[in-house]
Amino acid sequence: LSEAKDLKAARAAFKPLSESLIKYLADHKAKGAYVEVYCPMAKAGWLQADKNVKNPYLGSEMPTCGVIKE
């Protein structure tokens, strides 16, 4: 992710990083400081601190696209 040359590359690198972190936290039953959000358009999920969806994959095109997973 830190070596991404542009936003498209950064978003592509963010996806597997998010997947790994979501899996790690689920495996360790860690909850509370974050919410998991999934965007069906990007077919990707991420973690964020609050329940106001801020889509890192679609940016200004669709900033609120995503569903909070319970």
Side-chain angles (χ1 to χ4, degrees), residues 7 16-17 25 35 53 63 65 70:
L7 188 54
L17 175 64
L25 293 173
V35 292
V53 175
C65 182
E70 301 288 332

Side-chain angles (χ1 to χ4, degrees), residues 1-67:
L1 181 60
S2 67
E3 296 176 9
K5 301 292 183 205
D6 57 27
L7 188 54
K8 184 177 180 179
R11 287 178 172 154
F14 185 66
K15 186 175 181 178
L17 175 64
S18 289
E19 289 171 352
S20 294
L21 184 56
I22 289 168
K23 182 178 180 341
Y24 176 85
L25 293 173
D27 289 349
H28 291 83
K29 297 179 180 31
K31 290 244 180 220
Y34 65 89
V35 292
E36 181 181 347
V37 187
Y38 180 79
C39 174
M41 299 294 290
K43 296 184 176 97
W46 67 94
L47 301 173
Q48 60 180 48
D50 60 44
K51 292 187 176 189
N52 295 319
V53 175
K54 299 173 193 99
N55 191 314
Y57 297 103
L58 302 177
S60 62
E61 294 174 19
M62 296 180 79
T64 60
C65 182
V67 177

